[in-house]
């Protein structure tokens, strides 16, 4: 037989900011992401909103403005204050 797959849009949100789920981290102070600032990792507190795309994207309601360079992979060895070099 034949089959088809597709996606149905059930909601849209204009001007929403979202990050990959792997970028989200949590500690005793709450949700955060690691941003690259002046060659070092910085802890940026964020307020998470809805999850989209089967949980692969997380809405950021506050804490980021868009355009920041963040760590998008769940690498637990990376910590705030560490020096990093961005390639590519």
């Amino acid at each position: 037989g034949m089959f088809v797959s597709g996606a149905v849009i059930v909601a849209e949100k204009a001007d929403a900011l979202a990050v990959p789920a792997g970028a989200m981290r949590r500690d005793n102070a709450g949700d955060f992401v690691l941003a690259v600032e002046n060659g070092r990792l910085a802890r940026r507190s964020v307020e998470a909103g809805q999850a989209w795309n089967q949980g692969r994207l997380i809405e950021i309601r506050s804490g980021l403005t868009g355009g920041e360079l963040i760590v998008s992979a769940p690498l637990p060895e990376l910590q705030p204050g560490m020096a990093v070099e961005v390639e590519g």
Side-chain angles (χ1 to χ4, degrees):
M2 298 174 63
F3 68 94
V4 66
S5 66
V8 176
I9 298 173
V10 294
E12 288 186 7
K13 188 167 186 178
D15 299 323
L17 178 63
V19 299
M24 295 295 296
R25 296 165 183 257
R26 177 178 284 258
D27 63 14
N28 292 337
D31 292 329
F32 70 99
V33 297
L34 290 175
V36 179
E37 296 176 0
N38 300 316
R40 295 204 171 267
L41 294 177
R43 185 188 188 286
R44 298 284 297 271
S45 294
V46 295
E47 179 187 352
Q50 293 179 307
W52 296 312
N53 197 15
Q54 298 176 338
R56 290 188 289 253
L57 290 174
I58 306 298
E59 175 189 11
I60 301 298
R61 292 185 177 154
S62 66
L64 295 175
T65 59
E68 293 97 338
L69 183 60
I70 63 167
V71 175
S72 62
L75 301 169
E77 63 273 13
L78 298 180
Q79 298 296 320
M82 291 179 74
V84 293
E85 184 177 323
V86 178
E87 295 182 0

